[in-house]
Amino acid sequence: MAFDLGFFTTLVGTTVFLAAPIVLACLGVQWSELSGVFIFGIEGEMLLGAVAGFLTALATHSLPLGIVAGIATGVGVGILSGFFEVTLGADQIIFAIALLVIGPSLSSYLYGAYVGGRELSTFSTSIPTFTSVPIPGLSSIPLIGPVFNQPILVYVVYILVILTHYFFYHTNMGLKVRSVGMNPLAADSMGTNVQLVRYSVLIIAGILAALGGMLMVMGGTGFWSDNVTAGRGLIAIALVRVGNWRTHLTFGASLVVGLLLASVADLQGIFSGGGAVTTTFPYEVFSTLPYLFAIAVIGISYKWTRSNQPASIGKPYQRG
Amino acid sequence: MEPGKKFSIWRRRFRETALSTVVVLVSVVVGALLVAFEGRSPVAAYGTIVSSTFGSTSNIAYTLSQSSPLILVAMGLVIAFRGSFWNGGGEGQMLLGGITGVIVTYSLHVNNTPLLLLVGFVAAFIVSGAWASISGILKVLFGIDDIVSSLLLSATAAFIVFYLVRVPFASPSTATAAVLASVNIPKAAQFPSVGGISGTFPLAIAGAVVLAWVLAKTKFGFRLKVLGSNRNTAVAYFGKGPTNRLFILISFLSGGFIGMGGMAMVSAFTGNIVAGASGGAYSAGGFTNSYGFIGIAVVFLAGLDPIASIAASIFFVTLVIGGLGLLVLMAVPTSLTISISGVAILFVSARVPIMDRLKALRRPK
Amino acid sequence: MQESDLVLEGRDLSKRFADLTAVDGVSVAVRRGQITVLLGENGAGKSTYIKMLNGTLKPNSGTLYYEGQETKFGSARHAVKRKIHTIYQSFALIDLFTVKENMKLIFPDKTDDELRAMIQQYGKAVDLDERVALLPAGIKQRLEITKALGSDAKVLLMDEPTSVLAYEERDRLFKDLARLGKEKGLAILIATHKLQDVMDYCQQVAVLKGGKLVLQKPVRDTNLKELTVAMFGASEELEEAPTETKPVGETESVLEVRNLSVRGDNVPLAVKEASFSMHKGEILCIIAIAGNGQLELADAVYGLRKPLSGDVAPGPAILKTGRKLRVGRVAFASDDPVQTGLAVDLSVKDNFGVSLLDQTSKGRLVDWKALEDLSNKAIEKFEIKCYATDEFLRELSGGNIQKVLVARELSRDVDVLIAVHPARGLDMHTTYLVYRSIMEVARKGISVLLISEDVDEALYLSDRLGAMYEGRLSEIKPKGLWTRETLGSYMIGAHVMQEAKV
């Protein structure tokens, strides 16, 4: 393996690409949690958005339509979450578990139901995937060029990160949302409609989760595999805590995870000699790295990054 | 104490059971709708479910036997949730218990069934318990959310098991490369059946009864209940150190029972562990039947009561087996039945608010 | 009195919670330019009434009138939109945010300088970038007033505003309120249980008792005696406090606190080198105004907080017996009416078991019969209204829930009992029950460490007293050596200033 500039450059590009869905999930978690609502079930939301987008793209041969369908699903799940968690005041952890069960199983079922009955020879099960769009000039910068040679959705992710940070920490509307997360009673008496704020952020989080799921499906091979999100949503939850609910640290941590994932893919290729079954080397260890990293990193950072934790998180707010 | 008002306590218990029944019915209805959407007749579908699970004595025996692993998993989750340990890592813990059972019984080279089973179950208990207690320790020492860490650890455990199945304990007779299977447990390690019902069933029932007794009658059970209701109360009255130790113990016991569920699965049903492509999240090829997650629905439907969990487990197993029956006979995939369990959990999440609203409606204005 | 003076009026308002009628057909009005007082003891329904006036709670019956028009408020923020502002005892500020962030939530368009000017107008100058959590109560109150008046409030409702203030702060508050009221034509309603608040600055008084309105008239037409009778009804037989103080120094101590320093949440040092000892069967009271370190001291003695230096140790009387020191605790915080020490999802019996577990167990098993007996005895003694010990704690009314907490601690077999504001929020009758029980417990030989903020309560119950101010504990002297005046002056730091002079 030649450790030349080319290798690193590719690594950079893959890192950013693999980190993007995690970043989207992190943004979704941030939006939801800063208003005080847990979203541990985000993995399920990602899968539902992914399957909706995938099947629509498959049926219509149109990627944009698929994205629209995925976003619509995200909105739907957001409204469902809002109804259960905000209007009814359901237990947010149990609701999350419900999503974690429904997400993989329902998406697997829908895929099987749609594809299962058809003749495989006349029917392709893959969809057109995202193509990379290089930004002229920037994409030829040595080493970090690939940062600017990504599918459009990844560029959108960059913009969303900046917008989210600006919104929450430099606008009054963002301040209002955070006040709901800190003390909904006080926020209510200061004129903020707590229920409306929470519904809105849950819908936005749903959209972000759906986009994250879609990016994983449509950015990859174009084929569906069950449980395609593989724990990205979980990792995002951990990373948001590490980042103390602020966007910059979380984004940085996501890039590290992206790097790990990119390395895993490379290392796995090296050590397994191409075939997944033939060597005795425990390359599965590499697959565990992102998860272990997530755990390690919340633990280490606990002492100094809880200052921004929304105090009311997990508790429903209801009028007496 | 007014006699008329004691009745009101029973009324509350009745309302809780009624709500659970409603959840079950709604799930059944949703399932029927999905099946109809599939293009099949729901009536026929449910008929198939009922007949393949309770249609004959051998079917009943089969259904009851199959419920044993789920009952054991449910016991682990009852301990966890009653003690405020949000154990989302049941899948991984079950896998670890299963592979421990395979490894231990395979490596022992002994032909004594009671010994093999004893060692297998104990080893599974310890390994899975230790794994789950990592989440407990992380929560106590670092404040890491137990549900997040248990889920992340579960995914990690799945990879560890993948490796163990692929390399050191791979089945010598793997037909295709796509399906990874581990070695089989020796015949002596298969759990014996009595009258068609697997011995794991009375084992699981015994476990449930013992657990119910411990929770109701011992000081340990009482402290667990207090910790589960309000951690601040436990800390203020039992002390911070003892409360933390109690929490870690709870996580260990929880994982232990779930691990035993994995061992029961291996010893009485599958004989080995198969790592494939599909299945519930984080499971290796459907070995767990998503019991780690379904178990959560089970225990909440049962109001976190060990004995009621037995009934709830049998109900869910009916869905799963019936689902398998449906798969075979009517091509309705198991993923659908698992989704129905998920919908049940959805309604369970809103249990308390719905009950409160029903109560408010009844009150005279 | 002109009709146009009436700004906000609640007519025949009622509110029920489960089996409890908190407010029963009460009509109170708030007038422009006047301060109306809603007077009543704890649990009389004042807070509930205010919450109906400002939209937080929906009345079960009755109507609201705002500026002569019938009105309904969908939620708290609707009332705020109509310029009805409320200042609660636990302020509606976001503690983790800075002053500036809190103000920006309400005044998004004002500049920093404008905000500073506004804050200064209604109180003292404050650093905009300071976190609200670190500010003293009096300043937080001023911020709340600034928020209300800066939004051109027409009505100001205040729930127990003087409970967190020291004497002169209270005077200043009322003076400012009266002035601002006249200047801006504000209609002000204050809910309080302190009679003294009424007479000097308020124009109208309404007395609530048990949820009903028992008296409503201009202040100049009434007097303290009439108000007292209206508030409390027939006076209870108060047991004569024992006049001979227990001889100190003759008995060995049960508990020793030596040079204890404890860190605070918002201040670096909440307790500064406190030392005292407790003797068998005595009631030792530490009296202080909220926020002077007494809670942290109690927590450290109980073991909830680790001290920075110094220690808490069992005295020779305990060391002799060879067993561990057993300490019980009943504590009520002002902003947590349903205590964190209570497991509301468990039954009443379970909650008793939390403290009484050691007394009602056989080896590793719980002796449910013994627990049931003890619980029933306590229920009877404290007149707790519940149907059965199996009832879930959350089904009881707030006052009864509090009684459970008190009852279980006072039934415990301990050496030392720490009681922090044990009767806070309880009505007069129950308060006396609690006092009697505390004295009974002391007679049985248990040492009681009483933390109080009420001079009358302290002088009534205790054998020895000390005051605390800004973390410094004064000398502890027998009751007979204190007067109300000296106690009051030590509460605002006389001993600290003396030490500073030395």
Side-chain angles (χ1 to χ4, degrees):
Chain A
M1 198 87 240
F3 290 100
D4 61 328
L5 211 60
F7 172 72
F8 280 121
T9 312
T10 325
L11 196 62
V12 166
T14 320
T15 297
V16 168
F17 180 70
L18 289 177
I22 300 181
V23 173
L24 278 170
C26 285
L27 289 175
V29 173
Q30 232 186 316
W31 274 87
S32 173
E33 293 199 336
L34 278 175
S35 83
V37 181
F38 277 139
I39 189 171
F40 290 146
I42 191 168
E43 186 89 15
E45 298 192 32
M46 290 170 83
L47 279 169
L48 290 174
V51 78
F54 180 82
L55 289 179
T56 310
L58 196 57
T60 63
H61 299 291
S62 155
L63 213 49
L65 270 180
I67 295 181
V68 169
I71 293 182
T73 309
V75 171
V77 174
I79 294 179
L80 183 76
S81 308
F83 177 68
F84 269 87
E85 296 180 314
V86 179
T87 307
L88 288 183
D91 187 308
Q92 293 173 8
I93 298 188
I94 303 180
F95 182 81
I97 294 175
L99 281 180
L100 284 176
V101 172
I102 294 179
S105 55
L106 191 60
S107 58
S108 167
Y109 167 68
L110 288 173
Y111 173 77
Y114 185 79
V115 163
R118 295 158 205 273
E119 274 296 325
L120 282 180
S121 55
T122 58
F123 183 75
S124 154
T125 54
S126 76
I127 58 171
T129 58
F130 291 136
T131 49
S132 296
V133 176
I135 298 183
L138 289 172
S139 61
S140 13
I141 302 178
L143 204 65
I144 64 163
V147 170
F148 302 102
N149 188 5
Q150 303 282 343
I152 298 185
L153 195 50
V154 176
Y155 298 136
V156 173
V157 172
Y158 297 156
I159 299 175
L160 286 175
V161 169
I162 299 175
L163 284 180
T164 300
H165 179 76
Y166 183 75
F167 175 78
F168 277 115
Y169 292 100
H170 294 278
T171 65
N172 276 329
M173 186 68 53
L175 192 62
K176 274 203 160 82
V177 174
R178 284 195 294 136
S179 73
V180 168
M182 286 288 176
N183 188 339
L185 183 60
D188 189 6
S189 68
M190 291 201 224
T192 311
N193 186 338
V194 172
Q195 324 282 60
L196 183 64
V197 163
R198 284 184 166 170
Y199 257 99
S200 311
V201 297
L202 282 174
I203 291 176
I204 294 177
I207 296 175
L208 289 166
L211 284 174
M214 282 193 285
L215 187 53
M216 293 204 65
V217 168
M218 297 165 177
T221 59
F223 286 93
W224 175 266
S225 61
D226 278 338
N227 201 21
V228 62
T229 53
R232 304 280 199 261
L234 286 185
I235 295 179
I237 296 171
L239 295 182
V240 167
R241 277 152 176 70
V242 166
N244 204 15
W245 288 272
R246 287 184 202 279
T247 338
H248 26 272
L249 264 179
T250 311
F251 183 62
S254 310
L255 286 178
V256 173
V257 175
L259 180 61
L260 279 174
L261 289 169
S263 321
V264 163
D266 282 339
L267 288 167
Q268 202 151 326
I270 300 174
F271 285 99
S272 70
V277 251
T278 49
T279 85
T280 57
F281 186 83
Y283 59 79
E284 287 90 351
V285 162
F286 300 127
S287 303
T288 67
L289 287 179
Y291 302 98
L292 294 176
F293 171 74
I295 297 177
V297 103
I298 320 181
I300 294 172
S301 63
Y302 175 64
K303 289 282 186 306
W304 35 271
T305 61
R306 283 306 162 105
S307 60
N308 202 19
Q309 176 163 18
S312 80
I313 197 165
K315 301 181 219 146
Y317 176 68
Q318 320 239 271
R319 185 197 185 205
Chain B
M1 199 201 320
E2 299 169 37
K5 289 304 173 176
K6 185 146 195 192
F7 177 64
S8 81
I9 298 177
W10 286 109
R11 231 178 25 191
R12 179 191 232 270
R13 301 254 163 91
F14 172 72
R15 254 183 265 141
E16 282 183 0
T17 342
L19 191 67
S20 298
T21 321
V22 167
V23 169
V24 166
L25 285 176
V26 170
S27 314
V28 166
V29 167
V30 170
L33 288 175
L34 285 171
V35 169
F37 182 70
E38 237 313 90
R40 310 274 176 191
S41 148
V43 173
Y46 282 114
T48 311
I49 291 183
V50 170
S51 68
S52 61
T53 49
F54 293 106
S56 65
T57 15
S58 62
N59 278 353
I60 294 180
Y62 182 67
T63 306
L64 289 180
S65 305
Q66 285 282 333
S67 66
S68 331
L70 183 54
I71 293 176
L72 285 168
V73 169
M75 292 309 115
L77 292 171
V78 165
I79 295 176
F81 294 144
R82 275 228 192 174
S84 80
F85 172 56
W86 289 105
N87 189 352
E91 294 286 297
Q93 289 151 30
M94 210 176 157
L95 274 172
L96 282 175
I99 197 69
T100 307
V102 167
I103 294 176
V104 161
T105 56
Y106 179 77
S107 316
L108 259 185
H109 300 299
V110 164
N111 211 359
N112 184 333
T113 302
L115 182 65
L116 278 177
L117 290 178
L118 181 66
V119 173
F121 272 97
V122 168
F125 190 98
I126 294 177
V127 170
S128 297
W131 192 255
S133 67
I134 298 178
S135 292
I137 294 172
L138 287 179
K139 174 106 194 236
V140 162
L141 286 182
F142 300 109
I144 302 180
D145 278 307
D146 31 6
I147 187 148
V148 173
S149 69
S150 59
L151 283 167
L152 288 171
L153 283 172
S154 180
T156 312
F159 285 115
I160 296 178
V161 172
F162 271 132
Y163 167 69
L164 291 170
V165 167
R166 185 176 65 84
V167 176
F169 295 97
S171 168
S173 62
T174 311
T176 59
V179 175
L180 289 167
S182 75
V183 292
N184 282 325
I185 56 174
K187 259 199 109 174
Q190 286 174 357
F191 215 107
S193 305
V194 175
I197 301 186
S198 165
T200 48
F201 187 69
L203 174 70
I205 304 285
V209 170
V210 166
L211 184 62
W213 184 86
V214 166
L215 287 176
K217 298 281 184 200
T218 63
K219 281 164 84 168
F220 166 74
F222 183 81
R223 287 203 198 96
L224 187 148
K225 197 163 55 162
V226 173
L227 173 57
S229 171
N230 186 337
R231 186 168 193 274
N232 290 326
T233 308
V235 166
Y237 288 91
F238 306 139
K240 194 162 190 189
T243 304
N244 286 338
R245 284 194 288 274
L246 179 63
F247 188 75
I248 296 178
L249 179 61
I250 290 172
S251 62
F252 178 76
L253 293 174
S254 172
F257 269 90
I258 296 178
M260 288 212 294
M263 170 69 185
M265 192 69 124
V266 164
S267 158
F269 305 107
T270 64
N272 67 355
I273 296 206
V274 172
S278 71
Y282 322 115
S283 72
F287 164 74
T288 62
N289 275 333
S290 288
Y291 280 173
F293 286 128
I294 293 183
I296 298 180
V298 166
V299 300
F300 276 111
L301 260 187
L304 294 184
D305 178 78
I307 307 295
S309 298
I310 299 176
S313 301
I314 297 180
F315 165 70
F316 274 99
V317 160
T318 312
L319 274 184
V320 172
I321 297 181
L324 284 173
L326 281 180
L327 177 64
V328 168
L329 295 174
M330 303 182 70
V332 174
T334 48
S335 52
L336 181 58
T337 46
I338 295 178
S339 300
I340 299 177
S341 315
V343 173
I345 303 181
L346 200 64
F347 286 106
V348 167
S349 77
R351 215 165 93 124
V352 170
I354 292 180
M355 276 219 318
D356 283 344
R357 264 152 223 260
L358 288 177
K359 234 188 333 184
L361 279 178
R362 279 167 197 258
R363 199 149 301 283
K365 283 285 175 9
Chain C
M1 193 187 345
Q2 301 152 311
E3 279 307 308
S4 64
D5 277 347
L6 274 178
V7 182
L8 180 61
E9 185 187 356
R11 262 188 231 166
D12 264 336
L13 293 182
S14 296
K15 183 68 181 170
R16 273 184 302 279
F17 298 108
D19 293 328
L20 171 73
T21 306
V23 175
D24 193 4
V26 176
S27 304
V28 175
V30 199
R31 289 172 176 76
R32 198 188 317 273
Q34 284 197 351
I35 303 185
T36 305
V37 173
L38 197 56
L39 190 64
E41 58 169 350
N42 286 309
K46 310 186 294 293
S47 298
T48 311
Y49 196 80
I50 285 194
K51 286 186 182 154
M52 284 196 285
L53 286 179
N54 72 11
T56 311
L57 291 176
K58 187 168 149 187
N60 291 119
S61 64
T63 13
L64 280 172
Y65 289 86
Y66 184 53
E67 294 184 325
Q69 307 260 356
E70 194 175 322
T71 333
K72 270 206 216 316
F73 295 124
S75 104
R77 65 172 194 285
H78 294 124
V80 169
K81 271 209 199 98
R82 312 275 220 97
K83 313 280 188 204
I84 298 172
H85 287 255
T86 313
I87 301 182
Y88 291 102
Q89 208 174 0
S90 58
F91 310 104
L93 290 167
I94 311 229
D95 281 335
L96 283 169
F97 283 1
T98 62
V99 173
K100 182 157 129 183
E101 286 171 333
N102 273 281
M103 289 291 141
K104 278 251 186 240
L105 279 172
I106 316 211
F107 308 116
D109 306 316
K110 292 219 193 293
T111 68
D112 286 6
D113 287 325
E114 286 173 336
L115 287 175
R116 272 194 213 105
M118 228 179 14
I119 296 175
Q120 188 126 19
Q121 189 180 6
Y122 301 116
K124 275 199 323 206
V126 170
D127 178 11
L128 282 183
D129 291 316
E130 182 80 66
R131 257 179 226 288
V132 167
L134 301 174
L135 296 172
I139 304 232
K140 285 198 220 180
Q141 198 178 61
R142 291 292 166 155
L143 284 177
E144 291 273 75
I145 294 177
T146 310
K147 274 164 55 187
L149 294 179
S151 314
D152 296 319
K154 293 206 183 128
V155 179
L156 191 60
L157 306 169
M158 298 180 83
D159 195 355
E160 302 279 1
T162 56
S163 57
V164 292
L165 300 179
Y167 251 23
E168 316 93 41
E169 283 182 305
R170 169 194 159 264
D171 266 2
R172 216 182 314 138
L173 173 70
F174 275 110
K175 280 207 185 79
D176 287 341
L177 284 176
R179 174 177 54 90
L180 289 166
K182 289 255 157 34
E183 274 175 27
K184 308 215 172 219
L186 258 184
I188 303 179
L189 175 74
I190 296 186
T192 181
H193 64 277
K194 299 201 179 152
L195 280 165
Q196 308 93 296
D197 289 350
V198 180
M199 305 306 296
D200 303 328
Y201 297 100
C202 313
Q203 288 76 45
Q204 186 85 357
V205 61
V207 181
L208 287 186
K209 181 170 156 50
K212 293 193 172 52
L213 182 68
V214 292
L215 185 151
Q216 183 164 197
K217 43 163 81 167
V219 170
R220 62 167 182 273
D221 292 342
T222 182
N223 56 58
L224 267 176
K225 184 147 179 243
E226 187 179 16
L227 291 175
T228 315
V229 171
M231 266 180 83
F232 300 115
S235 57
E236 282 218 19
E237 280 299 309
L238 251 190
E239 181 188 310
E240 262 303 310
T243 42
E244 354 96 38
T245 50
K246 296 210 177 52
V248 167
E250 285 185 18
T251 50
E252 282 174 321
S253 68
V254 162
L255 182 75
E256 298 272 338
V257 174
R258 298 182 278 243
N259 290 321
L260 194 68
S261 290
V262 181
R263 198 197 330 243
D265 293 327
N266 302 324
V267 293
L269 211 53
V271 179
K272 299 172 187 157
E273 292 181 1
S275 297
F276 62 94
S277 59
M278 295 193 65
H279 301 263
K280 211 164 143 92
E282 75 163 337
I283 302 180
L284 191 154
C285 176
I286 295 180
I287 186 168
I289 298 175
N292 280 293
Q294 68 273 44
L295 296 181
E296 288 83 346
L297 174 60
D299 281 349
V301 172
Y302 183 65
L304 276 181
R305 273 180 205 260
K306 257 178 112 154
L308 272 176
S309 62
D311 70 342
V312 177
I318 298 291
L319 292 173
K320 264 197 323 206
T321 64
R323 57 168 172 76
K324 266 178 75 171
L325 179 71
R326 291 165 304 173
V327 185
R329 174 176 176 264
V330 51
F332 293 120
S334 61
D335 52 6
D336 188 359
V338 176
Q339 295 306 298
T340 52
L342 293 162
V344 286
D345 292 313
L346 297 184
S347 69
V348 171
K349 189 157 54 172
D350 289 331
N351 273 281
F352 274 108
V354 168
S355 312
L356 304 174
L357 195 57
D358 293 320
Q359 287 160 244
T360 55
S361 54
K362 286 197 258 210
R364 288 190 197 263
L365 300 183
V366 177
D367 186 352
W368 287 105
K369 178 119 201 341
L371 183 56
E372 173 84 26
D373 286 339
L374 257 180
S375 311
N376 281 321
K377 274 205 211 100
I379 290 174
E380 214 184 293
K381 177 163 166 193
F382 283 88
E383 299 167 16
I384 300 177
K385 280 212 202 73
C386 82
Y387 301 118
T389 53
D390 284 327
E391 201 170 343
F392 288 106
L393 193 65
R394 59 160 74 235
E395 312 259 298
L396 268 55
S397 71
N400 279 304
I401 293 180
Q402 246 179 300
K403 285 193 204 178
V404 169
L405 186 54
V406 174
R408 80 172 178 206
E409 286 314 298
L410 291 176
S411 313
R412 244 175 123 173
D413 190 18
V414 288
D415 303 304
V416 176
L417 179 66
I418 301 181
V420 181
H421 308 305
R424 171 182 264 158
L426 296 175
D427 61 87
M428 196 102 285
H429 176 71
T430 315
T431 303
Y432 288 145
L433 272 178
V434 171
Y435 288 169
R436 277 199 283 267
S437 306
I438 292 181
M439 290 196 287
E440 212 176 276
V441 144
R443 270 195 290 263
K444 275 202 283 206
I446 298 180
S447 321
V448 179
L449 175 64
L450 174 69
I451 307 285
S452 175
E453 56 184 3
D454 188 310
V455 171
D456 295 310
E457 176 180 85
L459 286 173
Y460 177 68
L461 283 175
S462 52
D463 301 308
R464 288 194 296 151
L465 283 163
M468 201 158 167
Y469 181 76
E470 286 188 353
R472 289 215 187 280
L473 189 59
S474 75
E475 195 195 333
I476 307 224
K477 300 193 285 210
K479 178 161 66 181
L481 298 179
W482 287 97
T483 65
R484 300 189 89 228
E485 287 71 32
T486 47
L487 204 53
S489 68
Y490 274 62
M491 279 166 79
I492 51 177
H495 58 293
V496 174
M497 292 192 281
Q498 276 171 12
E499 277 170 40
K501 284 201 202 117
V502 169

